[in-house]
Amino acid sequence: MDYALQVLSIDLSARTARQAGLDAEISRRYLGGRGIAAYFLSRSPTMAALDPEAPLIFATGALTGSRIPAAGRMVIAGFSPLTDTFCSCSVGGSLARELKRAGIDAMVITGRSERELMLKIEDGVVTFEESNYGTDAGLEEIFSGSKGFKGAVAAVGRAAFQGCLYASIMVDSTFSSGRGGLGRVMAAKNLRALAIKGSSRTYVCDSQAEELSRADIMRLFDAAPAIMGRSGIRNYGTGALVDLIAARRMMPTANFRRTYFEDSLAFSATRIKQSMEPGSYACHGCPIACKKKGHQEIPEYETLSHFGALNENSDLAAIIEANHICNSAGMDTITAAATIACLAEIRGERYTGQALVEKVAQIAEGTDELLPLGSARLATALGKPWTSMSVKALEMPAYDPRGAYGMALAYATSTRGACHLRAYPISHEILRKPVATDRFTFAGKARIIKIAEDLNAVVDSIGACKFAFLGASLEEYAKGFAAVTGLTYDTQDLMRIGDSIYTLERWINTQRGFSVKDECLPERFFTEAGSSGAGIEIKPIDRSAFDEALQRYYRIRACGPDGAPTRERLEELSL
C-alpha cells in the first residue's frame, strides 16, 4: 500500500501555502511525527535557530485520529534557541486530531511575517489573519479570544515575544510544547497563534484489527498498577512520583546540591488530592487522564519538584502560582525553576514562597536581563558556569543522576540536552517496569539506553504517549499501526526505524558542532555525594565508569569515539 504523508508548506514571508504528498519511501522510512520532523530539519542542518527560514514543524503521528488508546499526540520541532540542538517536543491536546482531520499530516512553516499573524486552517484552507495582541499579551487573553473557534488553538505568549529562550508553545491553553524554546522560534516568525479545524475522518485500513488492538491495549492498561493502580498516574497524575522519588533519595534539592528535601510532603500528590480534590482530564482518545485541575491547573511532577525541592520551597500555593505564571506567559517550567535555583546558589540566597513567585514574574514580564536566557548563559555571565545543572545547555529535570545511573547516561546522550523523555530509565530503575535493574550501576545501561531511545523515537513518530508503555508494549502498538496504516511492520521493523531516526538526530547535532565534549554531566555529580539516609547511600558518580559507559554506548549506537555516527552507519541507513 502507498503510505504518503500530506505536507502543508507555509511561507509566512510570502503568505503562501502549498500542500503536496511526500515521497512514499520517505514517508515509510520516517513514519510521521518526530521522524518526519527530523527528516525536514536534516535538509538544512546548520541553519541558525532564529533564522526566519529555519523550519518550524508541526507533525502528527501515524496513529493520530485512530481508536488506538493514548495515541492523540503530535510533535513540534525546530532548532532550539536555548541549546542550538535538534529539538522536538511531544504535545497533547486536540491539535493533532484537528490537523489530521484537516487532511494534513505535517506542516512546515518558514519565513517571517511583517506583522503579528494568526494562521487559520479549516479543512486544508489556509488564511493569514493579522492579530493585534501586542508583546505584553498573556495566553489567557489569546485563548479566551478564540473561544468561538470550534477547533484547536496553539499559541505563544509574551515570554516568546520578549526574547525568553525557553518560551513554550501552548496548546488548548494547558498542554505545553515546553522544552528548548520552540515558542521563541514561533515568535521570531511573528506568528502568534495557529487555529486549526478539520471535519474529515481518519482512514483506517482494517477497522476490525484496529478494534482488536484497542481492546488488547486497554486490558494491559487495566492490569498496570503504574497507570491504573491506587497510586498510579490516572488517580494522582504525575505528582504520584513525588513520594517515590523522595523516598529513593534522588529528588534534586537546592540546585542539585542535595538529593533529599525534608518538606516534600507539602507538595505530594496525596496532599494535593486531600486539600484540593482536583478533577481529571486527558488528551484526545486517552483513557489514562493524567492531567489534574482544581481551581487552578495542578502542576506536573517536574514542576512540583523543581519549584519545590530544587528551590527549597515548601509553599504549595507558591508552586501552583509559579506554574500558572509560566503557563500564562508561555515558558518552560523546568528551565524557569532551574535557572532561578542556579541564581539562588550563585547569590547565596533562597527564593521561596512569594519571593519565588516574584522571580517567575520577572521572567514573564521581561524585567530581568539574565533569567530569560536559561541557567547556562546566566551562570556564565555571572562567572560561575559550573553552577548550571544542564547538559548541552538544557536544564536537568527532577531526577538526580546520582540516584539512577541509567538516567545519568540518558541525560548525556539525549539529542535535545538533559532530558528524561528521550530515554526513560526511571521506568526500570525506579518503577521496576518492564524489568527491574540495579540503579547504582552502569552495567548493561548503554544498551538499555540505546533501545529506549529507539523506542521513544518510534513512540513520538506514531503519536503515542510514553505513559502507555508502562502497561502495553510496542508489540501491541505495532499491531495497531498495521491496522491503521496497512503497513505490516512488526516490532523489530519499527525499532530499526527508531534507530535510524535517532541516528539522524545525532547526525544533525554533529553538523551543528556537538561532540563527545558536550555529552557529559556537570562536575558536581562526579565530586559531590547526595543526601544519604534511610539505608540508602548516594555516592558521587565514578567518572571513569561513566566515560566507559558512554564509549560503550557509542559503539552500540555505531558512533565513533567522538560521538558522531560512522560513515558506514550513515550509508547503511541511506542518510
Side-chain angles (χ1 to χ4, degrees), residues 151-392:
V153 177
V156 292
R158 59 180 176 271
F161 280 91
Q162 289 168 350
C164 180
L165 296 183
Y166 46 92
S168 56
I169 300 172
M170 300 297 293
V171 174
D172 297 345
S173 78
T174 58
F175 297 89
S176 175
S177 170
R179 308 237 63 195
L182 295 179
R184 179 72 191 101
V185 174
M186 187 162 157
K189 296 182 178 301
N190 230 355
L191 179 60
R192 172 65 78 168
L194 296 165
I196 302 174
K197 184 179 183 300
S199 58
S200 64
R201 297 186 62 181
T202 300
Y203 176 75
V204 173
C205 283
D206 188 336
S207 57
Q208 185 175 2
E210 179 196 36
E211 171 56 25
L212 290 173
S213 177
R214 186 203 66 80
D216 211 12
I217 291 169
M218 284 303 305
R219 281 192 291 269
L220 290 168
F221 281 7
D222 290 340
I227 297 176
M228 299 295 192
R230 185 179 65 180
S231 299
I233 56 178
R234 178 177 173 83
N235 190 29
Y236 281 120
T238 59
L241 287 166
V242 170
D243 290 348
L244 183 61
I245 299 303
R248 298 299 184 270
R249 296 267 165 170
M250 55 178 292
M251 178 172 280
T253 303
N255 198 33
F256 288 85
R257 283 171 284 171
R258 303 198 305 275
T259 61
Y260 182 73
F261 186 54
E262 294 80 359
D263 296 325
S264 63
L265 286 176
F267 49 84
S268 68
T270 304
R271 178 69 57 82
I272 291 170
K273 189 163 189 176
Q274 290 172 345
S275 63
M276 303 181 69
E277 299 182 350
S280 300
Y281 65 100
C283 300
H284 171 69
C286 182
I288 300 174
C290 67
K291 302 283 281 185
K292 304 295 172 185
K293 188 171 185 177
H295 65 280
Q296 280 188 302
E297 191 75 19
I298 303 301
E300 304 283 354
Y301 164 67
E302 310 294 338
T303 308
L304 289 168
S305 184
H306 268 17
F307 279 130
L310 194 71
N311 281 282
E312 303 177 88
N313 173 51
S314 58
D315 186 337
L316 177 59
I319 294 171
I320 291 174
E321 180 59 21
N323 180 69
H324 172 72
I325 293 172
C326 285
N327 285 349
S328 177
M331 56 192 184
D332 177 25
T333 57
I334 296 177
T335 291
T339 304
I340 292 169
C342 176
L343 180 65
E345 178 179 352
I346 291 172
R347 290 181 173 173
E349 298 176 352
R350 284 177 62 182
Y351 303 114
T352 62
Q354 185 59 34
L356 176 68
V357 172
E358 289 171 359
K359 281 294 173 193
V360 179
Q362 286 176 15
I363 305 171
E365 293 163 5
T367 57
D368 188 291
E369 291 183 9
L370 295 178
L371 284 174
L373 303 181
S375 70
R377 288 175 175 82
L378 176 144
T380 298
L382 296 179
K384 295 187 177 181
W386 59 87
T387 60
S388 171
M389 297 296 104
S390 60
V391 177
K392 302 184 184 81

